[in-house]
Amino acid sequence: MFVYADNAATTAMSKAAIDAMTPAMHQLYGNPSSLHQKGREANYALMDARETVARCLNAQPREIYFTGCGTESDNWAITEGARLGAEQGKRHIISDPIEHHAVLHTLAKLEKQGFEVTYLPVHEDGVVRLEDLAAAIRPDTCLVTIMFSNNEIGTVQPIREIGALCRERGVLFHTDAVQAVGHLPIDVAADNIDMLSLSGHKFHAPKGVGALYCKKSVPIRNFIEGGAQERGRRGGTEAIPAILAMAAAMKDSCEHMEENMARVSAMRDKLIDGLSKIPRSRCNGSPDHRAPGLVSFCFEGIEGESLLLRLDLAGICASSGSACTSGSLDPSHVLLALGMPHEIAHGSLRLSLSEYNTMEEVDYILQQVPEVVRTLRQMSPVWSRMLETMEDPYQ
Ligand SMILES: *Cc1c(COP(=O)(O)O)cnc(C)c1O
């Protein structure tokens, strides 16, 4: 059996996305900035796509800027949020330690430029507390950037309340919603969001296209230098086929949100139940505030890497944490921020589902993972050392 359970790293393209992209690649090759009919044709399609994306977020079309990826959107929003603050003499930013590196590395760069960043604790469940945020906001705070839902442990933050607090205190609020768009209902107006980053390939659109929502009252400037595209704020000829595919995928996801959420979270819950039966295992993240498709576990006494290799041989595509840190031997910064010891954080497994997965696949995972964990433990020196001080749970 083959099971793709790494949807937080990237997703397969949907039929809706491919059906929108294919004719665009054949016919819509005009440059939307050109004044002739081929240009106009592309420009109309671009306007349609912008309207679709805006509608899914309850934003206005002119508040949507297409970008090259989620990383670019994050870099842009945070850099501009900081610049706008600095213009008013405000150089304090608030975030948290379990953000994606697109956010954390941008913040690190700003810290080198003299900004001060407060990282709110996320506690053992990975959730930011409103009272911690309220206490951290200062007169010189210019920006709060907190992700909508986490890509490693799936915790969903209280975004609407965070947004309300920021608005009340006059602080700009950006959220990295790359893991949330297409999977959770989002309403930028009701959720009090000023800036929001999204990326197509996390909801069945192609890789290499994203967007930034920026509320029209926020006077952001361009992040990269170039032409007059995107109302002068994001130069570079628009990737029409990819943008149309992203709009189609977003519309498709938003129209089927309720049923997809129900189906995917039922599979997630079954996985969590089943994996919890493995001795010395723990489910990471909050049980209550969790994205529909995300399951993250730690198994004591084994290495996440060897677990992944064995699962791969069994046809299961999973991950140990974020795709961006796999390949390095450091344990995930997210698991460490939850207060997990290094040796346990090493034995982590992330399974991320989408509506393309099935219950049969979940059953197959539940048959394979406990066996692989047991086999690896039999070979693990760490596990045998643990057996000196505890009863063997497999006896
Ligand atoms: C994938 C991801 C990103 C980066 O998006 P790209 O389009 O791959 O650049 C940023 N933030 C989160 C939470 C992500 O999961």
Side-chain angles (χ1 to χ4, degrees):
M1 196 169 197
F2 173 79
V3 184
Y4 185 75
D6 200 13
N7 288 278
T10 195
T11 58
M13 279 178 72
S14 62
K15 184 173 182 307
I18 294 171
D19 286 351
M21 192 157 183
T22 310
M25 289 194 288
H26 284 297
Q27 284 133 26
L28 292 177
Y29 54 81
N31 186 322
S33 302
S34 299
L35 296 177
H36 48 63
Q37 54 176 309
K38 269 293 159 197
R40 275 196 305 278
E41 204 175 79
N43 192 38
Y44 289 140
L46 180 63
M47 283 164 60
D48 268 355
R50 198 183 307 282
E51 214 174 294
T52 303
V53 170
R55 208 176 313 120
C56 290
L57 298 171
N58 191 25
Q60 292 175 17
R62 63 179 159 145
E63 296 175 317
I64 302 299
Y65 300 92
F66 292 115
T67 64
C69 57
T71 300
E72 182 190 333
S73 302
D74 282 338
N75 274 255
W76 184 14
I78 294 167
T79 306
E80 274 302 292
R83 184 191 61 78
L84 289 167
E87 277 187 350
Q88 304 177 294
K90 299 179 175 182
R91 295 180 155 263
H92 177 236
I93 300 171
I94 300 173
S95 188
D96 63 82
I98 63 169
E99 293 293 314
H100 189 272
H101 282 137
V103 169
L104 291 178
H105 290 171
T106 304
L107 292 173
K109 188 168 159 182
L110 289 168
E111 284 179 289
K112 284 202 189 109
Q113 296 169 7
F115 287 86
E116 190 187 332
V117 183
T118 299
Y119 296 92
L120 300 175
V122 290
H123 304 261
E124 211 180 330
D125 60 2
V127 181
V128 163
R129 302 295 191 269
L130 289 172
E131 54 273 25
D132 290 338
L133 174 61
I137 297 178
R138 315 189 309 212
D140 64 337
T141 305
C142 58
L143 175 71
V144 169
T145 176
I146 291 177
M147 71 201 313
F148 208 112
S149 81
N150 183 271
N151 50 307
E152 289 189 33
I153 55 172
T155 43
V156 178
Q157 303 297 346
I159 290 300
R160 186 168 293 192
E161 292 76 14
I162 291 173
L165 185 56
C166 291
R167 208 148 278 182
E168 190 189 308
R169 306 281 287 269
V171 179
L172 208 56
F173 174 43
H174 165 255
T175 184
D176 172 347
V178 173
Q179 286 293 334
V181 170
H183 305 285
L184 290 167
I186 299 179
D187 178 328
V188 289
D191 293 342
N192 309 302
I193 297 167
D194 297 316
M195 294 192 279
L196 175 146
S197 304
L198 64 92
S199 174
H201 75 101
K202 303 290 174 77
F203 55 88
H204 307 295
K207 289 139 192 71
V209 63
L212 176 68
Y213 152 79
C214 181
K215 199 172 151 69
K216 59 181 184 298
S217 56
V218 180
I220 56 159
R221 287 193 208 146
N222 55 309
F223 178 60
I224 54 171
E225 301 303 330
Q229 291 91 353
E230 300 294 295
R231 301 174 302 292
R233 290 193 174 143
R234 203 280 185 178
T237 303
E238 297 88 343
I240 298 295
I243 290 171
L244 300 199
M246 180 167 75
M250 203 159 157
K251 181 161 179 271
D252 189 40
S253 303
C254 293
E255 280 171 356
H256 299 98
M257 181 83 64
E258 295 276 313
E259 62 187 270
N260 287 347
M261 279 174 67
R263 243 176 60 77
V264 176
S265 42
M267 292 189 279
R268 171 201 66 192
D269 292 343
K270 186 166 187 188
L271 265 184
I272 293 179
D273 272 358
L275 296 178
S276 300
K277 298 194 181 106
I278 298 177
R280 310 292 291 200
S281 69
R282 59 177 285 177
C283 179
N284 303 314
S286 162
D288 310 318
H289 310 278
R290 182 179 278 279
L294 236 136
V295 175
S296 166
F297 265 81
C298 282
F299 304 107
E300 289 182 42
I302 62 166
E303 287 283 341
E305 308 290 310
S306 15
L307 177 58
L308 289 187
L309 293 177
R310 296 246 169 176
L311 290 180
D312 191 31
L313 287 176
I316 299 170
C317 301
S319 143
S320 62
S322 110
C324 320
T325 45
S326 340
S328 77
L329 286 173
D330 294 335
S332 135
H333 68 283
V334 175
L335 297 178
L336 294 180
L338 302 184
M340 195 166 293
H342 274 249
E343 64 278 13
I344 296 181
H346 267 301
S348 64
L349 172 69
R350 175 185 75 179
L351 296 158
S352 44
L353 307 171
S354 85
E355 60 276 20
Y356 297 173
N357 291 108
T358 63
M359 275 296 181
E360 288 69 45
E361 292 175 350
V362 168
D363 290 336
Y364 180 68
I365 295 173
L366 286 177
Q367 182 198 322
Q368 292 296 317
V369 175
E371 261 178 53
V372 174
V373 169
R374 185 180 180 149
T375 312
L376 289 173
R377 279 174 171 170
Q378 279 164 355
M379 311 180 326
S380 155
V382 180
W383 183 255
S384 47
R385 227 175 303 125
M386 285 172 63
L387 285 180
E388 290 165 12
T389 58
M390 67 179 194
E391 216 169 298
D392 186 350
Y394 289 106
Q395 291 302 306

